[in-house]
Short mmCIF file of all heavy atoms in Angstrom, two decimals:
data_model
loop_
_atom_site.label_atom_id
_atom_site.label_comp_id
_atom_site.label_asym_id
_atom_site.label_seq_id
_atom_site.Cartn_x
_atom_site.Cartn_y
_atom_site.Cartn_z
N GLY A 1 -16.06 67.34 18.38
CA GLY A 1 -15.76 67.66 17.00
C GLY A 1 -15.26 69.08 16.81
O GLY A 1 -14.52 69.37 15.86
N ALA A 2 -15.67 69.98 17.71
CA ALA A 2 -15.33 71.40 17.55
C ALA A 2 -14.01 71.78 18.19
O ALA A 2 -13.42 72.81 17.81
CB ALA A 2 -16.45 72.26 18.14
N LEU A 3 -13.54 70.99 19.15
CA LEU A 3 -12.36 71.36 19.92
C LEU A 3 -11.21 70.41 19.65
O LEU A 3 -11.42 69.24 19.32
CB LEU A 3 -12.69 71.35 21.42
CG LEU A 3 -13.82 72.28 21.88
CD1 LEU A 3 -14.08 72.10 23.37
CD2 LEU A 3 -13.48 73.74 21.57
N ASP A 4 -10.00 70.91 19.80
CA ASP A 4 -8.81 70.07 19.62
C ASP A 4 -8.21 69.66 20.95
O ASP A 4 -7.03 69.33 21.03
CB ASP A 4 -7.78 70.77 18.73
CG ASP A 4 -7.31 72.10 19.31
OD1 ASP A 4 -7.76 72.47 20.42
OD2 ASP A 4 -6.48 72.76 18.66
N ILE A 5 -9.01 69.72 22.02
CA ILE A 5 -8.61 69.24 23.34
C ILE A 5 -9.58 68.13 23.74
O ILE A 5 -10.67 68.02 23.18
CB ILE A 5 -8.62 70.37 24.39
CG1 ILE A 5 -9.99 71.05 24.45
CG2 ILE A 5 -7.51 71.36 24.11
CD1 ILE A 5 -10.12 72.12 25.52
N PRO A 6 -9.21 67.28 24.70
CA PRO A 6 -10.10 66.18 25.09
C PRO A 6 -11.39 66.70 25.72
O PRO A 6 -11.38 67.64 26.53
CB PRO A 6 -9.28 65.39 26.11
CG PRO A 6 -7.86 65.77 25.85
CD PRO A 6 -7.89 67.18 25.36
N VAL A 7 -12.49 66.08 25.36
CA VAL A 7 -13.81 66.38 25.93
C VAL A 7 -14.43 65.08 26.38
O VAL A 7 -14.54 64.13 25.60
CB VAL A 7 -14.73 67.08 24.91
CG1 VAL A 7 -16.06 67.48 25.57
CG2 VAL A 7 -14.06 68.29 24.28
N VAL A 8 -14.84 65.01 27.65
CA VAL A 8 -15.46 63.80 28.19
C VAL A 8 -16.81 64.14 28.80
O VAL A 8 -17.09 65.30 29.11
CB VAL A 8 -14.56 63.11 29.25
CG1 VAL A 8 -13.20 62.78 28.68
CG2 VAL A 8 -14.43 63.99 30.50
N GLY A 9 -17.64 63.11 29.00
CA GLY A 9 -18.95 63.29 29.61
C GLY A 9 -19.05 62.49 30.90
O GLY A 9 -18.38 61.46 31.06
N ILE A 10 -19.90 62.94 31.81
CA ILE A 10 -19.98 62.25 33.09
C ILE A 10 -20.66 60.89 32.96
O ILE A 10 -20.35 59.98 33.74
CB ILE A 10 -20.64 63.10 34.19
CG1 ILE A 10 -22.11 63.45 33.87
CG2 ILE A 10 -19.83 64.37 34.44
CD1 ILE A 10 -22.84 64.09 35.04
N ALA A 11 -21.58 60.72 32.02
CA ALA A 11 -22.17 59.39 31.82
C ALA A 11 -21.13 58.45 31.23
O ALA A 11 -20.96 57.31 31.70
CB ALA A 11 -23.40 59.48 30.93
N GLU A 12 -20.44 58.92 30.22
CA GLU A 12 -19.39 58.12 29.57
C GLU A 12 -18.36 57.62 30.57
O GLU A 12 -18.05 56.43 30.65
CB GLU A 12 -18.72 59.01 28.51
CG GLU A 12 -17.46 58.46 27.89
CD GLU A 12 -16.68 59.53 27.15
OE1 GLU A 12 -16.47 60.64 27.72
OE2 GLU A 12 -16.28 59.27 26.02
N GLN A 13 -17.85 58.54 31.38
CA GLN A 13 -16.76 58.18 32.28
C GLN A 13 -17.24 57.37 33.48
O GLN A 13 -16.53 56.48 33.96
CB GLN A 13 -16.03 59.44 32.74
CG GLN A 13 -15.29 60.17 31.63
CD GLN A 13 -14.21 59.31 31.00
OE1 GLN A 13 -13.39 58.73 31.71
NE2 GLN A 13 -14.19 59.21 29.68
N SER A 14 -18.43 57.67 33.99
CA SER A 14 -18.92 56.89 35.13
C SER A 14 -19.27 55.47 34.72
O SER A 14 -19.03 54.52 35.49
CB SER A 14 -20.12 57.58 35.78
OG SER A 14 -21.19 57.73 34.89
N MET A 15 -19.80 55.28 33.52
CA MET A 15 -20.07 53.93 33.05
C MET A 15 -18.79 53.15 32.83
O MET A 15 -18.70 51.96 33.18
CB MET A 15 -20.92 53.97 31.77
CG MET A 15 -22.35 54.40 32.02
SD MET A 15 -23.36 54.38 30.49
CE MET A 15 -24.93 54.95 31.14
N ALA A 16 -17.78 53.81 32.29
CA ALA A 16 -16.48 53.14 32.11
C ALA A 16 -15.91 52.71 33.46
O ALA A 16 -15.36 51.60 33.58
CB ALA A 16 -15.51 54.06 31.38
N SER A 17 -16.05 53.56 34.45
CA SER A 17 -15.55 53.22 35.78
C SER A 17 -16.35 52.09 36.41
O SER A 17 -15.79 51.14 36.97
CB SER A 17 -15.60 54.46 36.68
OG SER A 17 -15.12 54.18 37.96
N ALA A 18 -17.67 52.17 36.31
CA ALA A 18 -18.53 51.15 36.91
C ALA A 18 -18.33 49.78 36.27
O ALA A 18 -18.45 48.75 36.93
CB ALA A 18 -19.99 51.56 36.79
N ALA A 19 -18.03 49.78 34.97
CA ALA A 19 -17.94 48.53 34.22
C ALA A 19 -16.58 47.85 34.32
O ALA A 19 -16.38 46.76 33.77
CB ALA A 19 -18.25 48.79 32.74
N GLN A 20 -15.63 48.46 35.05
CA GLN A 20 -14.30 47.85 35.16
C GLN A 20 -14.40 46.44 35.74
O GLN A 20 -15.20 46.16 36.61
CB GLN A 20 -13.42 48.72 36.07
CG GLN A 20 -12.98 50.02 35.42
CD GLN A 20 -12.11 50.84 36.35
OE1 GLN A 20 -11.73 50.41 37.42
NE2 GLN A 20 -11.78 52.06 35.92
N GLY A 21 -13.55 45.56 35.22
CA GLY A 21 -13.57 44.17 35.68
C GLY A 21 -14.80 43.42 35.23
O GLY A 21 -15.17 42.41 35.83
N ASN A 22 -15.46 43.93 34.18
CA ASN A 22 -16.67 43.32 33.63
C ASN A 22 -17.82 43.30 34.64
O ASN A 22 -18.69 42.43 34.60
CB ASN A 22 -16.40 41.90 33.13
CG ASN A 22 -17.38 41.47 32.05
OD1 ASN A 22 -17.81 42.27 31.23
ND2 ASN A 22 -17.75 40.20 32.06
N ARG A 23 -17.83 44.28 35.56
CA ARG A 23 -18.89 44.35 36.56
C ARG A 23 -20.22 44.71 35.91
O ARG A 23 -20.28 45.49 34.97
CB ARG A 23 -18.57 45.42 37.61
CG ARG A 23 -17.45 45.07 38.54
CD ARG A 23 -17.29 46.13 39.63
NE ARG A 23 -17.00 47.46 39.11
CZ ARG A 23 -16.24 48.35 39.73
NH1 ARG A 23 -15.70 48.05 40.91
NH2 ARG A 23 -16.01 49.54 39.21
N ARG A 24 -21.29 44.15 36.46
CA ARG A 24 -22.64 44.60 36.15
C ARG A 24 -22.95 45.79 37.07
O ARG A 24 -22.64 45.78 38.25
CB ARG A 24 -23.66 43.48 36.38
CG ARG A 24 -23.62 42.42 35.28
CD ARG A 24 -24.45 41.20 35.67
NE ARG A 24 -25.82 41.53 36.07
CZ ARG A 24 -26.81 41.81 35.22
NH1 ARG A 24 -26.58 41.82 33.91
NH2 ARG A 24 -28.02 42.08 35.67
N PHE A 25 -23.55 46.82 36.49
CA PHE A 25 -23.81 48.02 37.27
C PHE A 25 -25.25 48.50 37.06
O PHE A 25 -25.89 48.19 36.05
CB PHE A 25 -22.83 49.14 36.92
CG PHE A 25 -22.93 49.63 35.49
CD1 PHE A 25 -23.79 50.67 35.16
CD2 PHE A 25 -22.15 49.07 34.48
CE1 PHE A 25 -23.88 51.13 33.84
CE2 PHE A 25 -22.23 49.51 33.17
CZ PHE A 25 -23.10 50.55 32.85
N SER A 26 -25.72 49.24 38.03
CA SER A 26 -27.02 49.88 37.94
C SER A 26 -26.86 51.39 38.03
O SER A 26 -25.96 51.89 38.71
CB SER A 26 -27.95 49.40 39.06
OG SER A 26 -28.32 48.06 38.88
N VAL A 27 -27.74 52.10 37.36
CA VAL A 27 -27.83 53.55 37.49
C VAL A 27 -29.04 53.86 38.37
O VAL A 27 -30.15 53.40 38.09
CB VAL A 27 -28.00 54.23 36.11
CG1 VAL A 27 -28.17 55.74 36.28
CG2 VAL A 27 -26.81 53.91 35.21
N VAL A 28 -28.81 54.60 39.44
CA VAL A 28 -29.89 55.03 40.31
C VAL A 28 -30.04 56.54 40.13
O VAL A 28 -29.07 57.29 40.27
CB VAL A 28 -29.59 54.69 41.79
CG1 VAL A 28 -30.74 55.16 42.69
CG2 VAL A 28 -29.38 53.19 41.95
N THR A 29 -31.26 56.97 39.79
CA THR A 29 -31.46 58.37 39.44
C THR A 29 -32.89 58.79 39.77
O THR A 29 -33.67 58.01 40.31
CB THR A 29 -31.11 58.60 37.96
OG1 THR A 29 -31.12 60.00 37.67
CG2 THR A 29 -32.06 57.87 37.03
N THR A 30 -33.22 60.02 39.42
CA THR A 30 -34.51 60.61 39.81
C THR A 30 -35.43 60.90 38.64
O THR A 30 -36.54 61.40 38.85
CB THR A 30 -34.24 61.94 40.55
OG1 THR A 30 -33.52 62.82 39.68
CG2 THR A 30 -33.44 61.72 41.83
N THR A 31 -35.01 60.61 37.42
CA THR A 31 -35.71 61.11 36.23
C THR A 31 -36.27 59.97 35.37
O THR A 31 -35.59 59.48 34.48
CB THR A 31 -34.77 61.98 35.37
OG1 THR A 31 -33.53 61.26 35.19
CG2 THR A 31 -34.46 63.29 36.08
N PRO A 32 -37.52 59.57 35.61
CA PRO A 32 -38.08 58.44 34.86
C PRO A 32 -38.17 58.67 33.36
O PRO A 32 -38.11 57.72 32.58
CB PRO A 32 -39.48 58.27 35.48
CG PRO A 32 -39.79 59.57 36.13
CD PRO A 32 -38.48 60.12 36.60
N GLU A 33 -38.29 59.92 32.95
CA GLU A 33 -38.43 60.20 31.52
C GLU A 33 -37.11 60.14 30.76
O GLU A 33 -37.09 60.31 29.53
CB GLU A 33 -39.10 61.56 31.31
CG GLU A 33 -40.54 61.59 31.80
CD GLU A 33 -41.20 62.93 31.53
OE1 GLU A 33 -41.30 63.30 30.34
OE2 GLU A 33 -41.61 63.60 32.49
N LEU A 34 -36.02 59.89 31.47
CA LEU A 34 -34.72 59.78 30.81
C LEU A 34 -34.18 58.35 30.79
O LEU A 34 -33.02 58.13 30.45
CB LEU A 34 -33.70 60.71 31.49
CG LEU A 34 -33.95 62.20 31.28
CD1 LEU A 34 -32.94 63.03 32.06
CD2 LEU A 34 -33.90 62.57 29.80
N ILE A 35 -35.02 57.39 31.12
CA ILE A 35 -34.57 55.99 31.11
C ILE A 35 -34.04 55.60 29.73
O ILE A 35 -32.97 54.99 29.61
CB ILE A 35 -35.71 55.05 31.55
CG1 ILE A 35 -35.96 55.19 33.05
CG2 ILE A 35 -35.37 53.60 31.21
CD1 ILE A 35 -37.13 54.38 33.55
N ARG A 36 -34.76 55.97 28.70
CA ARG A 36 -34.35 55.57 27.35
C ARG A 36 -33.00 56.18 26.97
O ARG A 36 -32.15 55.51 26.36
CB ARG A 36 -35.41 56.00 26.34
CG ARG A 36 -35.14 55.52 24.92
CD ARG A 36 -36.33 55.76 24.01
NE ARG A 36 -36.68 57.17 23.92
CZ ARG A 36 -37.68 57.65 23.21
NH1 ARG A 36 -38.46 56.81 22.54
NH2 ARG A 36 -37.93 58.94 23.17
N SER A 37 -32.76 57.43 27.36
CA SER A 37 -31.48 58.07 27.01
C SER A 37 -30.34 57.44 27.78
O SER A 37 -29.22 57.31 27.26
CB SER A 37 -31.54 59.57 27.26
OG SER A 37 -31.54 59.87 28.65
#
């Protein structure tokens, strides 16, 4: 909202990549307290 250039996030873009072709994907990570986010 603050910038007039493109801004992307690593979760946003990695999920878009993983989901290509309607694939089911899993996230493997180290932080149990961030499951909800």
Side-chain angles (χ1 to χ4, degrees):
L3 301 177
D4 60 2
I5 56 176
V7 184
V8 303
I10 63 170
E12 170 195 47
Q13 293 299 310
S14 60
M15 288 182 181
S17 180
Q20 287 180 7
N22 205 36
R23 289 185 300 213
R24 285 170 52 79
F25 64 89
S26 291
V27 177
V28 180
T29 189
T30 59
T31 49
E33 294 183 60
L34 291 176
I35 288 176
R36 185 170 60 181
S37 72

